[in-house]
Amino acid sequence: FSPYASRLFAERRQWWAQSSTEPKPLPLRITSSTARWASEGGQEALNKAVAAYLVSIGVDIDATNANGFPLILPCDATCNPSVEVYRVPEDDPRVGLRGELGCRAKEALATGTVVGVYSGHVFANDELYEIPALANHPSVLCHPITADADEKLIARLKAEWEAESYTAEFSAYNEARRHENLSDKRHLMVCALGFDGICHRVNDALQNPFSLSTTMHGSYNTEYVEVELDGWPFLFVITYKSLDAGDELRVSYTSSYWRLMRELRKRVDFIQGKFVD
């Protein structure tokens, strides 16, 4: 947690405890749309799938709440053992991903399989430059002190670009907070840069998102599902299609994500003089 996220966590718990008009948060609540899983049992099926995953990593919802303890997920929560990280081959149509890491099924996966939780540093949108993964980024710390101003700026922009590329927003949670009597309306986010786990290794299916092309390599089969545990948000990666052994997991990073990535890339290209004849 960043300092802001830590305060927000305590503030939210206090607000729920003091509110006489709002119901107390459920131990487990799916806040994302469940339309994709309508034919598979919808929200009830997702609740059971997430609850089963939590038990598999040692988090028993019923026992925890029966004893009056808040739900806490370990930072090193393990992912589904039926999913593995692999190296994207050099003949993949997504040129930018060649040689990078991705995720695939080691064995057949059913619809509604929980891959794991998106682990990372939780922070507010205006705290990005303070998170440890960015402040201690190798391209920032290891850049020669003798480098000129442009080289230092490029190194910092590339570090920002990488941190943003591993960042996801708790959209449903942030939208709900707009209607609550809390102290501010900053957005809560999570950055996986520097963290173990495989959920941030699930790639997009777009072949060349920097060119605005919508051509895809295969189709999407996985989705980020936002879940609140005792009123606190988490992102889970869950399949919404069945996969065979060897199939790659693919998730949509959304158009807003790629818009930001293109903007950051243009900033780096501009500083490097790539727009100059």
Side-chain angles (χ1 to χ4, degrees):
F1 285 170
S2 69
Y4 171 80
S6 296
R7 292 194 302 272
L8 179 62
F9 183 82
E11 181 183 59
R12 186 173 180 83
R13 285 291 174 86
Q14 182 180 19
W15 183 81
W16 279 112
Q18 294 177 348
S19 175
S20 60
T21 59
E22 296 291 337
K24 296 300 181 287
L26 295 172
L28 190 160
R29 186 168 73 96
I30 307 293
T31 54
S32 294
S33 169
T34 59
R36 292 189 187 276
W37 289 271
S39 62
E40 304 293 334
Q43 183 163 327
E44 182 179 355
L46 281 177
N47 277 337
K48 290 180 178 179
V50 173
Y53 165 76
L54 292 176
V55 170
S56 75
I57 62 172
V59 180
D60 190 318
I61 296 176
D62 294 333
T64 300
N65 279 271
N67 288 283
F69 298 118
L71 288 171
I72 299 176
L73 266 67
C75 288
D76 58 349
T78 57
C79 292
N80 194 308
S82 297
V83 177
E84 65 179 355
V85 173
Y86 79 107
R87 188 74 60 180
V88 178
E90 291 300 322
D91 60 351
D92 193 289
R94 298 165 297 178
V95 178
L97 284 177
R98 292 175 182 174
E100 300 295 333
L101 299 179
C103 289
R104 65 186 176 193
K106 293 169 63 176
E107 55 190 64
L109 301 177
T111 300
T113 297
V114 177
V115 177
V117 64
Y118 195 97
S119 301
H121 190 86
V122 179
F123 64 101
N125 53 306
D126 60 353
E127 290 182 308
L128 174 67
Y129 302 105
E130 301 168 29
I131 65 174
L134 184 54
N136 300 320
H137 195 281
S139 67
V140 174
L141 295 179
C142 300
H143 210 69
I145 195 171
T146 56
D148 63 30
D150 282 353
E151 289 178 339
K152 291 180 180 178
L153 177 57
I154 291 169
R156 291 181 178 276
L157 283 175
K158 287 183 175 180
E160 177 190 4
W161 185 2
E162 186 174 12
E164 289 280 16
S165 72
Y166 284 101
T167 297
E169 182 177 338
F170 296 110
S171 301
Y173 178 83
N174 292 328
E175 178 62 23
R177 289 185 64 241
R178 292 178 58 242
H179 307 290
E180 295 176 359
N181 186 28
L182 297 177
S183 61
D184 62 72
K185 304 302 179 184
R186 289 191 282 181
H187 290 184
L188 202 63
M189 314 183 87
V190 56
C191 179
L193 183 62
F195 279 74
D196 293 328
I198 66 175
C199 287
H200 60 280
R201 300 297 183 187
V202 180
N203 290 317
D204 200 305
L206 291 173
Q207 286 194 21
N208 189 3
F210 287 101
S211 70
L212 298 179
S213 171
T214 57
T215 303
M216 296 198 299
H217 175 53
S219 60
Y220 296 125
N221 49 32
T222 309
E223 191 165 57
Y224 295 122
V225 177
E226 199 169 326
V227 180
E228 287 189 9
L229 301 178
D230 276 348
W232 190 253
F234 294 87
L235 280 180
F236 287 82
V237 176
I238 305 179
T239 63
Y240 65 84
K241 292 181 180 178
S242 59
L243 285 80
D244 294 326
D247 285 350
E248 181 190 20
L249 279 66
R250 304 185 188 97
V251 65
S252 172
Y253 286 4
T254 73
S255 58
S256 59
Y257 170 91
W258 287 118
R259 187 181 307 114
L260 175 60
M261 292 299 103
R262 288 192 291 269
E263 290 173 356
L264 289 170
R265 182 176 182 175
K266 286 182 178 179
R267 288 168 63 183
V268 173
D269 286 348
F270 177 76
I271 297 298
Q272 291 179 319
K274 293 184 178 180
F275 293 156
V276 180
D277 291 335

